[in-house]
Amino acid sequence: MTLMPDFTPDLKAMLADLDTLARIESPSTDPAGIARVMDVVEGWARAMGAETHALGGGARLFNFGVRRADAEHGLPAPGLGGQNQGEQDLGGQDRPVLVLTHADTVWPHGTLDHMPLRVEGDRLYGPGTYDMKAGIVGLFHALRSLNGEWPAGGVQVLLSPDEETGSLSSRAHIENAARFARVALVVEPPVADTHALKTGRKGTGSYVLTFTGVASHAGNKPGEGASAVTAAAQAILDLQALARPDLGTTVSAGLIAGGSAVNVIPSHCRLELDVRVSSLEEGARVDAAVHAWTPADARVQSRVEGGLNRPPFEQGEGTLALYAQARAIARELGFDVPSAVVGGGSDGNFTAPIIPTLDGLGAPGDGAHAAHEHVRLDRWPDHVRLLARLLREV
Ligand SMILES: [Zn+2]
């Protein structure tokens, strides 16, 4: 391996770019705001010579040095190049490195009014900075440092519009891209405090249970009523008991609403469940049990919607090898990066069953989805140097 000259990220320029992205509020529910963020990023990509593609559902794809691309989807297509016949020829080092990013945030419009962007000491606070606009900025500074010398197969950056709401519109694009790529790098932030890279994530599921009972006067004719709230209460106890913390399975009833007045036996109740699993088997077990649950009182009807929306990102050998490479690079650069398996899902959950996936390559900090969301400016350049080296050497 040739030793490449080291790259010193320009923190001032990264801060200016982050300011540009973070000032555009882009909640998952606002396609216009998300498109504005994407337009800025697309401008950076074009300036570096990328081919850019708008994918259905609002996602975009930027190709850097990808040899052959299918014009419609921007994905390398087997058999299009003439010389290579069939998909197997795209194996190994001919396949691109896929990088996953998202332009949406969990923050509604107006958040900047009470949570303005501000630097305090070595921290930059603001909505959507740590998760993940700083990850996007760091990625583009790392890409620019390669000076057009892309790794074998090139780099594909997929920018998704709806990661925070489960990637319903971009999942198919992410999985397609993963089938053509050799590895996936995800620039979601590293773990807070330890700045660990993520080598596994739980699968996530959500369910909405709707109960319909029979209303009645709570004082005069309680026996004629069938309580939807009582059924929901029993469902909470039964379904939360499906948790197996020893296997990484959690079940939590996070939202409940029901009833119409205190003196009426309630005929309606709605319950939302959050489910996390570490294995597909556990996902299937919990899913079957949630769907099979029925109220004890036959007069109450229950309906279940939802399911597992992200499969578990199980820590595979390829992923561990990628992590080992990243860690070795970090050590050469003078710092250490631990690894961690975390409970929250990301788009890496969609690529991990297909190709080796390393997540947490974004900006260090803390407070994702919380009022103290911030990026650690003292640690950020090191992680950008790590990403640049990894992109070059992976
Ligand atoms: Zn994120």
Side-chain angles (χ1 to χ4, degrees):
M1 190 200 321
T2 46
L3 208 62
M4 304 297 281
D6 202 9
F7 145 64
T8 309
D10 181 345
L11 182 59
K12 221 173 142 192
M14 293 200 301
L15 273 171
D17 287 343
L18 178 53
D19 190 79
T20 302
L21 292 192
R23 277 187 198 287
I24 307 168
E25 292 188 311
S26 56
S28 308
T29 49
D30 175 18
I34 289 164
R36 285 175 60 212
V37 170
M38 290 186 171
D39 287 344
V40 173
V41 179
E42 185 165 318
W44 297 341
R46 281 181 194 274
M48 278 184 255
E51 252 192 292
T52 64
H53 299 266
L55 306 177
R60 297 196 200 176
L61 191 71
F62 310 131
N63 285 337
F64 299 86
V66 175
R67 281 182 206 166
R68 293 167 304 132
D70 146 354
E72 198 186 339
H73 303 106
L75 298 172
L80 278 187
Q83 232 172 343
N84 290 330
Q85 306 288 321
E87 198 176 332
Q88 53 273 48
D89 290 343
L90 261 178
Q93 297 294 305
D94 283 348
R95 291 170 176 264
V97 175
L98 174 64
V99 185
L100 299 180
T101 62
H102 67 83
D104 61 326
T105 77
V106 295
W107 299 103
H109 278 286
T111 302
L112 280 173
D113 297 340
H114 56 87
M115 222 176 112
L117 297 167
R118 64 192 198 282
V119 175
E120 280 176 23
D122 53 18
R123 288 158 198 229
L124 177 279
Y125 289 84
T129 52
Y130 173 63
D131 185 12
M132 63 144 56
K133 287 171 176 169
I136 298 173
V137 169
L139 166 67
F140 276 80
H141 280 253
L143 286 169
R144 207 170 285 128
S145 79
L146 301 192
N147 253 323
E149 287 177 34
W150 312 116
V155 178
Q156 283 204 304
V157 176
L158 201 151
L159 183 52
S160 138
D162 58 351
E163 192 275 341
E164 296 292 2
T165 50
S167 305
L168 299 182
S169 81
S170 47
R171 176 177 184 170
H173 298 306
I174 293 163
E175 290 173 336
N176 277 337
R179 286 188 199 101
F180 285 105
R182 55 191 168 96
V183 293
L185 306 179
V186 187
V187 296
E188 290 285 358
V191 176
D193 297 326
T194 62
H195 313 306
L197 304 183
K198 297 166 179 173
T199 52
R201 290 178 176 271
K202 287 187 182 179
T204 58
S206 58
Y207 296 86
V208 177
L209 286 84
T210 314
F211 303 88
T212 310
V214 180
S216 173
H217 193 295
N220 294 337
K221 295 180 169 176
E224 290 183 10
S227 170
V229 166
T230 302
Q234 191 60 52
I236 292 174
L237 297 176
D238 293 348
L239 298 177
Q240 288 193 159
L242 293 168
R244 285 286 305 272
D246 52 323
L247 298 177
T249 304
T250 61
V251 180
S252 171
L255 283 173
I256 185 167
S260 55
V262 71
N263 58 356
V264 176
I265 302 290
S267 65
H268 183 82
C269 192
R270 185 178 188 278
L271 176 65
E272 290 191 44
L273 282 186
D274 177 279
V275 172
R276 311 275 162 146
V277 293
S278 294
S279 69
L280 283 171
E281 291 88 334
E282 276 294 286
R285 178 183 70 85
V286 173
D287 187 71
V290 172
H291 282 281
W293 191 88
T294 50
D297 184 338
R299 294 172 299 163
V300 180
Q301 319 255 291
S302 66
R303 202 179 73 213
V304 179
E305 290 166 283
L308 218 58
N309 50 28
R310 282 195 175 106
F313 168 173
E314 295 183 54
Q315 184 171 251
E317 267 178 44
T319 292
L320 288 174
L322 259 182
Y323 164 67
Q325 187 179 11
R327 187 178 197 189
I329 292 171
R331 283 179 168 167
E332 275 183 48
L333 295 174
F335 64 104
D336 196 18
V337 276
S339 70
V341 174
V342 298
S346 85
D347 286 338
N349 288 57
F350 297 130
T351 58
I354 303 170
I355 44 173
T357 299
L358 185 60
D359 200 337
L361 289 162
D366 198 354
H369 307 190
H372 64 294
E373 177 168 0
H374 65 267
V375 173
R376 283 278 300 267
L377 302 179
D378 53 337
R379 305 295 298 261
W380 192 18
D382 271 349
H383 283 246
V384 174
R385 289 164 76 209
L386 166 60
L387 179 59
R389 281 276 304 270
L390 196 59
L391 282 166
R392 204 186 282 155
E393 296 169 18
V394 69

